[in-house]
Amino acid sequence: VFFRDDEDTFKILVATDIHLGYLEKDPVRGNDTFVTFNEILDHARKNEVDFVLLGGDLFHDNKPSRKTVHSCLESLRKYCMGDRPVQFEILSDQAVNFHYSKFPWVNYQDENLNISIPVFSIHGNHDDPTGADALCALDILSCAGLLNHFGRSTSVEKIDISPILLRKGRTKIALYGLGAIPDERLYRMFVNKQVTMLRPKEDEDSWFNLFVIHQNRSKHGATNYIPEQFLDDFIDLVVWGHEHECKIAPFRNEQQRFYVSQPGSSVVTSLSPGEAVKKHIGLLHVKGKKMKMEKIALETVRTFHLEDIVLAHHPDLFNPDNPNVTQAIQAFCMEKVELMLDNAEREHLGNPRQPEKPIIRLRVDYAGGFEPFSVHRFSQKYMHRVANPKDIIHFFRHREQKEKKEIDLNFGKLVSRPAEGMTLRVEDLVKQYFQTAEKKVQLSLLTERGMGEAVQEFVDKEEKDAIEELVKFQLEKTQRFLKERRTEAEEEKIDEEV
């Protein structure tokens, strides 16, 4: 649909997964996230958007460093404050929309602030609320008046998503948001019908319904993702954060009849094929019930090139029995890397802010009797030419299909090892530990799930009191229960009740 922008058209800049502070200590790649964040906000200003909509993971660390927070504040203050009037109004009860904020109203309506571009954001799994106060980095930005943090649900029993209702001229948007929640928990809540999206009472069909979510979209396990058919079919557009591959063009879900746009990340954080897709942000135009998504290619993103080699596919070049085969493989890999460097140079956009050195990844499948060579010597050669010399090469082996059935297997030798690219999750380790533990050290008061989540917060989010808080909470809960049951103070009786 082609339509002209006018006083009835919302222009919204859409981006997710900016991961500010990713690799900030890296001498080469340390500034990448900050440079691109500035580019994103610059696009917002140039296009005179009504607001910026972020889909979570603005920060890479749960407790971002001082440098990261400082850079973020600097960018928001530089691009989002100013005299340009904001052209839309909010019709919903802001005390509901921002109820956990100390200043429960949108920042551009604060008489002490001068905001030209409001930013609305949900939190992701990297920057989610933790600790006793359940604060996250976005709450700091929101308290400073530079960002509007929405879509936060505090309850574990029931989620009611109340939209922020926006109006510009004759166009009305109902903006729904849901900050990241552990996938399995949210999956369970959807199945048990504990997630409700509240709709405006007045002529509900005249609203454009926009939903921002930050969860696994691709299936990572039986319940470790959120299937699209869980979402309500009255939604018009879902902006899906968390997945890093850029699939920003709205894709129609025929079953639910809504569109899904997955902007992807604005920085490469894992050297996988999905991240090698060109990075974009979106300029969303909404007029009445019609929408148009314009792709904007990001020009400051460091180029990333990825290629796969399967040694067994080149029998003419490599014979595993040849004593010099490793040198031959090494020479072949060097040739490949040189070619990739040439390509990277050709693709460099000439934007002065785009970093020079590319990220290069060569994945080598050495199945079929080959040996990997030492990557250390190899990387020395590229020290000054690529941004990631230490992990240019990744050796892996595809499982070879065994033809004959081997009957006399020695089970003692089989050690279960996670497959290539699988990361063990803290919760799984905790669960595994307690399932195989002896009777006397198994959990009776604490649950494995709760313990797993507490250990994960302790490790990943550096939440020093997470485990202590869990124990205290569980103790108090049990004591209340025992009091209510009026249990006699004898060990057997207590054990029995517990």
Side-chain angles (χ1 to χ4, degrees), residues 434-485:
F434 285 115
Q435 277 170 353
T436 54
E438 298 160 31
K439 196 82 194 111
K440 66 173 190 295
V441 290
Q442 284 190 350
L443 296 175
S444 55
L445 273 188
L446 304 176
T447 62
E448 282 155 21
R449 176 182 221 99
M451 196 64 192
E453 283 181 10
V455 172
Q456 188 192 12
E457 286 214 341
F458 185 83
V459 176
D460 291 352
K461 311 270 154 86
E462 296 175 28
E463 212 40 76
K464 296 183 183 59
D465 309 323
I467 295 172
E468 196 181 327
E469 271 167 23
L470 170 82
V471 173
K472 209 169 88 186
F473 166 76
Q474 211 48 51
L475 259 177
E476 284 168 7
K477 199 168 140 184
T478 312
Q479 286 163 348
R480 275 202 309 276
F481 172 78
L482 292 173
K483 272 183 197 151
E484 278 162 22
R485 298 289 296 256

Side-chain angles (χ1 to χ4, degrees), residues 185-220:
R185 183 195 300 164
L186 186 57
Y187 187 100
R188 210 168 48 240
M189 290 177 86
F190 268 115
V191 169
N192 297 334
K193 304 258 181 292
Q194 293 167 311
V195 183
T196 318
M197 293 181 85
L198 308 173
R199 299 190 66 179
K201 276 204 182 76
E202 291 80 52
D203 45 347
E204 56 177 39
D205 295 328
S206 65
W207 296 83
F208 183 88
N209 299 298
L210 175 55
F211 183 32
V212 193
I213 183 171
H214 189 102
Q215 304 290 152
N216 281 336
R217 185 175 170 201
S218 50
K219 198 166 175 172
H220 287 254

Side-chain angles (χ1 to χ4, degrees), residues 28 70 105 136 149 169 172 186-187 193 213 219 237 261 268 272 274 292 317 342 410 414 417 426 439 449 453 474 478:
V28 180
H70 184 266
W105 54 83
C136 68
H149 177 204
K172 299 187 295 185
L186 186 57
Y187 187 100
K193 304 258 181 292
I213 183 171
K219 198 166 175 172
L237 175 65
S261 168
V268 174
S272 60
K292 176 178 81 174
L317 293 178
D342 287 348
N410 176 355
L414 294 179
R417 216 184 64 207
V426 173
K439 196 82 194 111
R449 176 182 221 99
E453 283 181 10
Q474 211 48 51
T478 312

Side-chain angles (χ1 to χ4, degrees), residues 264-450:
S265 69
S266 60
V267 60
V268 174
T269 64
S270 69
L271 304 186
S272 60
E275 292 265 31
V277 179
K278 192 140 183 36
K279 306 283 186 196
H280 291 82
I281 50 173
L283 186 55
L284 175 67
H285 307 252
V286 177
K287 182 176 180 178
K289 293 282 278 181
K290 296 193 174 114
M291 66 159 178
K292 176 178 81 174
M293 176 74 85
E294 234 180 285
K295 289 164 73 166
I296 299 177
L298 290 170
E299 294 186 355
T300 59
V301 179
R302 194 180 286 280
T303 51
F304 170 38
H305 291 263
L306 174 116
E307 265 197 55
D308 290 355
I309 304 175
V310 182
L311 298 181
H313 289 179
H314 301 280
D316 48 334
L317 293 178
F318 312 119
N319 170 5
D321 305 329
N322 177 348
N324 298 332
V325 67
T326 310
Q327 279 94 314
I329 295 171
Q330 203 164 340
F332 186 73
C333 289
M334 281 197 172
E335 244 169 85
K336 274 281 186 222
V337 172
E338 289 296 342
L339 274 172
M340 287 161 87
L341 279 166
D342 287 348
N343 281 341
E345 207 165 312
R346 271 202 299 280
E347 254 183 54
H348 200 275
L349 295 166
N351 183 319
R353 289 176 307 161
Q354 186 184 31
E356 284 289 328
K357 296 179 186 172
I359 301 170
I360 299 281
R361 175 70 132 195
L362 192 58
R363 302 193 300 179
V364 183
D365 181 348
Y366 67 99
F370 297 101
E371 289 295 316
F373 56 80
S374 150
V375 187
H376 185 67
R377 285 246 312 280
F378 189 90
S379 58
Q380 294 278 303
K381 189 169 161 39
Y382 297 102
M383 250 2 212
H384 302 296
R385 297 175 62 195
V386 305
N388 60 320
K390 291 201 175 81
D391 52 13
I392 295 188
I393 291 206
H394 172 63
F395 286 107
F396 69 101
R397 254 200 317 220
H398 261 302
R399 291 277 157 82
E400 294 148 65
Q401 296 300 317
K402 288 269 170 34
E403 286 305 312
K404 56 180 200 305
K405 290 220 166 70
E406 292 180 16
I407 306 198
D408 50 336
L409 277 178
N410 176 355
F411 282 104
K413 278 187 184 160
L414 294 179
V415 181
S416 68
R417 216 184 64 207
E420 191 74 61
M422 289 280 288
T423 44
L424 274 178
R425 285 165 55 239
V426 173
E427 303 97 298
D428 300 340
L429 288 172
V430 171
K431 200 164 156 189
Q432 216 177 320
Y433 172 80
F434 285 115
Q435 277 170 353
T436 54
E438 298 160 31
K439 196 82 194 111
K440 66 173 190 295
V441 290
Q442 284 190 350
L443 296 175
S444 55
L445 273 188
L446 304 176
T447 62
E448 282 155 21
R449 176 182 221 99

Side-chain angles (χ1 to χ4, degrees), residues 214-278:
H214 189 102
Q215 304 290 152
N216 281 336
R217 185 175 170 201
S218 50
K219 198 166 175 172
H220 287 254
T223 62
N224 203 356
Y225 74 117
I226 302 302
E228 286 176 18
Q229 66 266 25
F230 279 9
L231 308 181
D232 282 303
D233 56 6
F234 70 81
I235 298 168
D236 295 294
L237 175 65
V238 181
V239 171
W240 206 297
H242 186 58
E243 300 282 358
H244 280 206
E245 183 174 346
C246 181
K247 298 178 179 171
I248 198 162
F251 172 80
R252 187 173 159 90
N253 181 318
E254 292 305 338
Q255 201 183 351
Q256 301 297 88
R257 302 208 301 283
F258 52 58
Y259 285 87
V260 181
S261 168
Q262 179 181 305
S265 69
S266 60
V267 60
V268 174
T269 64
S270 69
L271 304 186
S272 60
E275 292 265 31
V277 179
K278 192 140 183 36

Side-chain angles (χ1 to χ4, degrees), residues 57 61-63 100 122-139 149-154 178-182 185 453 457 461 463 469:
D57 283 356
D61 286 312
N62 191 273
K63 296 186 172 170
Y100 39 79
I122 60 170
H123 61 258
N125 55 313
H126 281 254
D127 48 17
D128 60 335
T130 56
D133 310 318
L135 284 171
C136 68
L138 293 186
D139 294 320
H149 177 204
F150 75 110
R152 178 164 163 187
S153 72
T154 34
L178 183 60
I181 291 176
R185 183 195 300 164
E453 283 181 10
E457 286 214 341
K461 311 270 154 86
E463 212 40 76
E469 271 167 23

